Amino acid sequence: MVLVFIVNNIKKIIDKHLNEGAKKYNVSVEELKEMAVPEFHLERGEKTIEFDDYKLAVCIEGSKVQKQFYKPDGDAMKSTPSHVKNNTALNNKLKSLQKEIKEIQKVYAAQKQRIDNQFILNRTWDLASFKKYYINHGLIYPIASKLIWYFKKDGMECQAIMLGGSWYTVENDKVDWIDETTEVSLWHPVNATETQIIQWRKRIMDLEWKQ
């Protein structure tokens, strides 16, 4: 009972600060949450860190943050290089990075949940905001790029997914009318026909996408 009380109090404090911040920047609470998501220097969910001649690749795959060391010749390694382990500066750098990876994993999981909630909140975005906080965001890209989105503009509308930097319908037709005047929202099975749901399910399975 005491724990519940403490949790509720913490939530109230967080909500209070969020509301104050939203007013300060003249945005909604959800927009403020988007603005606050760190990118961790990731590009499309990936980054490479150099350890002298060795490289450590960090990438988000599915729901996990993966890391892989590579030799100077580019071959993958099964474990941490001895050169890194035996060098104090490099070993400390690795320890710091390992802490960051845990933080990336934590924030990534929280963002997946936040984005799931956007449909319930009936959120819509202009294209510029959608690109900034979702498609072009280093941490969010792996999530946003594997979701179905709904686009609407001047009486035209479609459901589409991103493939190779372009948008395609479930029939694999390229959508060429999306521009800065387009409104974007999350697609959800609740608003789809049974046929559309079946088509999208097959399309996602064919692409072997996993979240």
Side-chain angles (χ1 to χ4, degrees), residues 200-211:
W200 276 120
R201 184 181 296 135
K202 183 179 184 305
R203 186 82 171 106
I204 298 304
M205 288 178 65
D206 288 345
L207 290 168
E208 297 182 347
W209 278 3
K210 294 180 181 180
Q211 280 283 8

Side-chain angles (χ1 to χ4, degrees), residues 151-158 176-183:
F151 298 92
K152 186 177 181 181
K153 168 199 163 185
D154 298 334
M156 297 182 289
E157 57 184 59
C158 74
D176 58 8
W177 50 261
I178 296 174
D179 61 22
E180 297 304 315
T181 65
T182 304
E183 183 180 272

Side-chain angles (χ1 to χ4, degrees), residues 9-188:
N9 273 354
I10 293 173
K11 186 178 183 303
K12 287 180 181 178
I13 293 171
I14 292 173
D15 289 342
K16 178 184 177 183
H17 285 298
L18 283 172
N19 285 318
E20 289 175 350
K23 288 180 180 179
K24 179 180 178 180
Y25 293 103
N26 194 30
V27 297
S28 69
V29 170
E30 290 304 314
E31 287 175 306
L32 186 66
K33 290 179 181 179
E34 290 170 340
M35 293 166 61
V37 181
E39 296 195 64
F40 297 101
H41 302 291
L42 295 166
E43 290 187 15
R44 297 196 168 194
E46 302 178 352
K47 69 175 176 178
T48 300
I49 301 90
E50 294 186 354
F51 289 80
D52 286 345
D53 293 333
Y54 295 86
K55 292 183 179 180
L56 178 62
V58 176
C59 67
I60 297 172
E61 294 182 359
S63 60
K64 298 292 184 181
V65 181
Q66 308 287 355
K67 60 181 186 294
Q68 175 68 63
F69 263 109
Y70 290 91
K71 297 178 182 179
D73 63 6
D75 288 344
M77 302 183 69
K78 294 182 179 180
S79 60
T80 304
S82 298
H83 177 71
V84 175
K85 290 180 180 179
N86 299 329
N87 184 298
T88 302
L90 294 180
N91 195 33
N92 287 338
K93 181 179 179 179
L94 179 59
K95 288 179 180 178
S96 178
L97 181 61
Q98 288 171 331
K99 289 180 181 178
E100 183 186 64
I101 289 173
K102 288 181 180 179
E103 184 64 17
I104 293 173
Q105 183 70 67
K106 180 181 176 181
V107 175
Y108 185 71
Q111 291 310 306
K112 289 186 70 174
Q113 183 59 53
R114 180 184 66 79
I115 292 173
D116 283 344
N117 292 337
Q118 300 308 292
F119 174 77
I120 299 173
L121 297 171
N122 198 28
R123 290 288 308 285
T124 60
W125 298 265
D126 58 72
L127 191 67
S129 297
F130 173 63
K131 286 181 177 180
K132 181 177 181 180
Y133 298 122
Y134 291 87
I135 295 303
N136 294 339
H137 193 284
L139 180 75
I140 302 299
Y141 173 83
I143 304 172
S145 63
K146 291 185 178 180
L147 291 175
I148 304 167
W149 296 90
Y150 177 72
F151 298 92
K152 186 177 181 181
K153 168 199 163 185
D154 298 334
M156 297 182 289
E157 57 184 59
C158 74
Q159 305 156 9
I161 55 175
M162 176 176 270
L163 294 170
S166 298
W167 294 96
Y168 291 86
T169 66
V170 71
E171 293 86 8
N172 205 34
D173 294 325
K174 187 175 181 179
V175 184
D176 58 8
W177 50 261
I178 296 174
D179 61 22
E180 297 304 315
T181 65
T182 304
E183 183 180 272
V184 187
S185 58
L186 264 174
W187 177 86
H188 197 281

